[in-house]
Amino acid sequence: MSETTIKTDSSVTSAKQRTLQLAKRHGLHTLIEESSPQSSYIQRAMARERLEKARTQKNLEQIMARAERICGDEAGSRIDPDWFSAYLELAKNSQTPAMQRLWAQILSMEVVTPGHFSIKALKILTQMTQREAKWFQRAVQLASRLGGEQSHKLLIGAIRLPGRFGIHRQRIRRLSLGRYRLAYNQIMQLAELGLIYDRELESSFAAQFDLSFEQGGKMWLLRPRYRQCKLLYYRMTPIGDELAQLIEPTPISHYQDDLAQMLQDFFDLQH
């Protein structure tokens, strides 16, 4: 019987090494590397404070440099100083390029048109993990806007209510957003962050005229085939709508195809 050789990858970093790296990055490694430290706790605390200040300074300078590169030659406006102070305080701990780009984009938009983003929305942004940010990005990509409204809706179905005197039965069609990489538990997590309302909503009865419909940069006109048709959806909160401005709507073709097929049971669609 031949022996099985277990290969180890020298590039793999152990948990012990990761912990030491983390400690060094934040100036907390002295007791790990020295059995009898020469410096006092107060001295090390002061050194760590200088390290943290240097890190936040670096983060903010990188964000400002990114924002300046994003800005064009259009006219700029004066930013409210209280808003900007809060912005700096909230943005200073963003170290990853992806999050720094978001903060830079916020500032570049605010310079052109003040009032785009509330402090409350910025606070929620600081609470989001990168994983939650990806879920929110997916939600924006799946969102639709109806009738020229600015609010974003995640359509999950359509329904035709039963007619009077039982002329016809109720009919309902649904889409599972999990098929498009946005699971129900992810929607609920975004709801906990205050970005999406946590309950399924229904539209009012569709009127007998064309309704503009935008999804993933694609425009449609919907004309209801029946009087008692409603759309089923999750709706983003005002804060969710604010932060959705940061994300370019990218079409997801198989979602748009499935959505169009579902809607055609209740509406005439015109591109």
Side-chain angles (χ1 to χ4, degrees):
M1 181 181 295
S2 62
E3 295 181 354
T4 301
T5 303
I6 300 177
K7 296 182 179 180
T8 59
D9 187 350
S10 59
S11 66
V12 174
T13 303
S14 69
K16 184 183 290 292
Q17 291 171 316
R18 290 288 186 196
T19 303
L20 178 57
Q21 290 174 356
L22 190 63
K24 283 184 174 181
R25 189 177 304 158
H26 294 274
L28 300 168
H29 60 288
T30 303
L31 292 183
I32 298 175
E33 296 188 325
E34 301 178 30
S35 57
S36 300
Q38 299 301 308
S39 58
S40 65
Y41 283 112
I42 187 64
Q43 289 172 324
R44 299 200 293 277
M46 293 173 65
R48 185 170 67 85
E49 184 178 357
R50 290 194 298 270
L51 186 65
E52 293 295 338
K53 286 183 177 180
R55 181 177 294 107
T56 58
Q57 181 70 17
K58 177 183 178 182
N59 294 339
L60 291 175
E61 288 187 11
Q62 289 176 331
I63 290 170
M64 294 298 293
R66 290 179 185 273
E68 190 274 338
R69 289 195 294 270
I70 293 173
C71 289
D73 295 327
E74 65 269 43
S77 303
R78 293 177 63 89
I79 289 184
D80 181 272
D82 292 333
W83 183 94
F84 188 59
S85 294
Y87 168 88
L88 293 178
E89 186 64 26
L90 293 168
K92 68 181 183 182
N93 292 317
S94 296
Q95 301 182 59
T96 64
M99 293 306 293
Q100 288 185 357
R101 281 194 295 271
L102 283 180
W103 286 104
Q105 191 174 350
I106 287 170
L107 182 58
S108 66
M109 294 174 69
E110 197 72 19
V111 167
V112 175
T113 310
H116 259 300
F117 300 98
S118 65
I119 298 302
K120 188 174 183 179
L122 300 188
K123 286 180 178 179
I124 288 181
L125 185 60
T126 64
Q127 299 169 13
M128 294 173 67
T129 64
Q130 288 194 52
R131 181 174 60 178
E132 290 165 344
K134 289 181 179 179
W135 296 344
F136 182 64
Q137 180 179 13
R138 195 65 173 179
V140 175
Q141 291 173 336
L142 294 172
S144 304
R145 290 190 289 184
L146 302 175
E149 296 180 351
Q150 294 304 306
S151 61
H152 294 73
K153 297 178 173 66
L154 296 168
L155 294 186
I156 57 173
I159 185 172
R160 180 189 182 190
L161 298 182
R164 297 179 64 183
F165 311 115
I167 296 175
H168 59 261
R169 295 181 180 180
Q170 176 174 295
R171 186 177 185 185
I172 185 168
R173 288 282 305 277
R174 287 184 175 272
L175 289 177
S176 171
L177 296 183
R179 291 185 58 190
Y180 317 102
R181 296 192 288 113
L182 187 66
Y184 176 78
N185 66 304
Q186 296 168 351
I187 294 174
M188 291 299 100
Q189 184 64 38
L190 294 176
E192 287 186 18
L193 286 168
L195 299 171
I196 296 177
Y197 291 111
D198 64 356
R199 60 190 180 278
E200 181 181 305
L201 301 173
E202 294 183 356
S203 67
S204 58
F205 286 123
Q208 299 300 304
F209 55 81
D210 292 347
L211 177 69
S212 63
F213 177 85
E214 179 185 355
Q215 205 294 313
K218 186 175 183 178
M219 294 294 300
W220 291 326
L221 287 177
L222 305 183
R223 173 169 292 174
R225 293 182 177 180
Y226 315 103
R227 287 186 177 276
Q228 293 184 312
C229 290
K230 292 186 176 185
L231 295 171
L232 309 176
Y233 59 88
Y234 289 106
R235 181 181 175 182
M236 288 191 182
T237 65
I239 289 177
D241 287 330
E242 280 187 50
L243 295 179
Q245 300 174 87
L246 297 170
I247 300 170
E248 188 71 23
T250 304
I252 302 172
S253 58
H254 63 291
Y255 170 69
Q256 288 186 338
D257 292 343
D258 293 345
L259 181 62
Q261 185 176 358
M262 179 197 74
L263 290 173
Q264 283 173 348
D265 284 353
F266 303 88
F267 300 87
D268 290 321
L269 272 62
Q270 298 179 14
H271 298 290

